[in-house]
Amino acid sequence: MRYFEVTKGRRFSAVRVGMVLALLLLPAAYGRTAHAVSCTTGAALAGDQRSALFDAAHQLGGAVLRGDAAALKAATIPSVAGNFDGIAATVQGLTAQLQGATLTVTSLYGLNADDLKGSEDDVQFFCSVPGAPLLVTVTLSELPKGQFALAILHATGVPQAQQFALILQNTGTATPHWQLAGFFVRPLTMDGHDSTWFWQQARVFKSRNQPWSAFFYDQAADYLARPADLFTSNNLQKLSRETAAVEPAGLPGKNPMMLPAGDRSFAITGLRADATLHALDLRIDAKVESVSDPVTARKDALTLMTALLQQHPELRSNFHGLWVYESTAAGQTFAVEQPMSALVLP
């Protein structure tokens, strides 16, 4: 198995910008074939197995709430515990905002990979409850044979509620011994609103022919509803189809989006919702030649903001403000945020 470090949130800047998470298992692309594996939802697990998983998940989540990285490390499989700095930094960063939070284990999934012949790429576990319409799919890559589980926990009752997705591995023999094998954290809300609210608002924007707002609100809804990229469901697939249907042409991806502004053009490399200041902004990442002069860099950022609002005036009423992050090839950066009320169009 490989060991990975990734930055939190590829499509969104959440409250903790640039947080590093340590992962054992890399999420793989949805839609590939699984081999010799099975999933059992929490309600269908045997009572003793469900209790053991619940207790392990609650103890690990409790360590996160307390900011007790040492206890979390002690309950982590060796291959992850040996490089624990990312998880430790994440836990320490969460401590202040989760003081007094209520911890709830919301979902458990037993992932049986005992019949794998060896380490498998792109292993999918299909999890369903007989008679219920919801189908959850958990996709892991480079998975060895063994017993695993996914536990989803919510830390609520605080302004910045969070959700944890824990990958657990059974390292016991006669008696199950569940240890942490992967850790993911995401917010449950942005700007005080949950996934359902963003999805509903996106549909309102679609009805108003405001595709830019609809697209970014759909993305926010997906980000908040998905505990980790390895997790999907038929509901999330429906949301993904709605998002794809409204996606504006020419958004930055492999190539930047060129935004004309007067006698020049800006190369925009990223656009995403941002709740860093606890209000919903739209973040714009742009490549520039230099940011050495703060006065010029700020002027360029304001010019870029104005040009974007001129092209897409719907954004003014649906976001609190705009962030511009300018970066150079040498890695220098300059950032500025402006509320919509401060941006005056010519």
Side-chain angles (χ1 to χ4, degrees):
M1 290 183 288
R2 292 178 292 177
Y3 175 82
F4 295 89
E5 287 189 344
V6 298
T7 55
K8 179 183 178 181
R10 289 175 292 180
R11 289 174 294 180
F12 294 92
S13 290
V15 174
R16 295 172 305 284
V17 179
M19 184 173 292
V20 176
L21 304 183
L23 311 179
L24 169 67
L25 305 171
L26 178 69
Y30 178 76
R32 301 182 184 177
T33 304
H35 301 282
V37 298
S38 64
C39 175
T40 305
T41 58
L45 288 169
D48 56 346
Q49 185 180 16
R50 182 171 60 251
S51 295
L53 275 174
F54 178 91
D55 290 344
H58 202 273
Q59 289 173 8
L60 292 168
V64 175
L65 290 193
R66 298 191 306 272
D68 193 347
L72 198 63
K73 182 177 181 179
T76 299
I77 64 172
S79 57
V80 174
N83 193 356
F84 201 74
D85 290 348
I87 292 179
T90 298
V91 171
Q92 291 162 5
L94 288 167
T95 302
Q97 68 193 57
L98 292 182
Q99 287 186 356
T102 299
L103 185 68
T104 306
V105 180
T106 62
S107 302
L108 292 172
Y109 300 94
L111 310 176
N112 187 341
D114 274 340
D115 292 334
L116 288 181
K117 295 180 180 179
S119 182
E120 293 271 0
D121 289 336
D122 303 349
V123 179
Q124 288 184 317
F125 298 87
F126 298 98
C127 311
S128 63
V129 177
L134 182 64
L135 172 66
V136 168
T137 305
V138 180
T139 308
L140 304 173
S141 98
E142 298 211 0
L143 188 71
K145 65 187 301 182
Q147 292 278 340
F148 299 87
L150 169 65
I152 299 171
L153 298 83
H154 289 178
T156 57
V158 291
Q160 299 175 43
Q162 303 291 314
Q163 56 184 323
F164 312 143
L166 311 179
I167 299 296
L168 306 177
Q169 183 176 1
N170 180 15
T171 59
T173 52
T175 302
H177 182 55
W178 294 99
Q179 291 191 295
L180 184 68
F183 176 58
F184 306 78
V185 59
R186 284 187 178 179
L188 276 169
T189 62
M190 294 177 68
D191 192 21
H193 300 296
D194 64 8
S195 173
T196 300
W197 184 89
F198 278 100
W199 195 350
Q200 292 171 342
Q201 288 300 115
R203 288 175 171 174
V204 171
F205 297 146
K206 293 168 194 174
S207 71
R208 296 175 181 170
N209 193 27
Q210 297 180 343
W212 274 63
S213 298
F215 177 76
F216 291 113
Y217 273 59
D218 266 345
Q219 280 203 335
D222 183 282
Y223 180 70
L224 296 173
R226 196 184 303 267
D229 286 342
L230 57 80
F231 179 97
T232 193
S233 69
N234 45 358
N235 285 340
L236 284 167
Q237 289 179 342
K238 180 180 180 181
L239 173 56
S240 295
R241 290 192 294 269
E242 291 188 22
T243 306
V246 76
E247 181 175 359
L251 289 179
K254 292 183 179 179
N255 298 313
M257 181 184 82
M258 302 307 298
L259 178 68
D263 58 355
R264 61 178 295 187
S265 290
F266 289 94
I268 296 177
T269 59
L271 286 164
R272 56 192 180 276
D274 188 298
T276 300
L277 298 182
H278 311 303
L280 191 68
D281 292 331
L282 184 66
R283 169 171 165 161
I284 308 160
D285 291 286
K287 283 292 184 184
V288 296
E289 292 184 1
S290 174
V291 293
S292 58
D293 180 2
V295 174
T296 300
R298 179 179 172 82
K299 181 180 178 181
D300 287 345
L302 296 178
T303 299
L304 193 163
M305 292 177 182
T306 301
L308 187 67
L309 288 180
Q310 285 178 314
Q311 286 201 12
H312 306 286
E314 67 178 81
L315 299 175
R316 179 180 286 277
S317 59
N318 299 327
F319 289 88
H320 163 266
L322 298 176
W323 272 103
V324 169
Y325 279 75
E326 299 172 296
S327 61
T328 69
Q332 298 170 315
T333 60
F334 181 88
V336 62
E337 190 267 355
Q338 287 287 287
M340 294 298 185
S341 59
L343 294 170
V344 180
L345 299 184

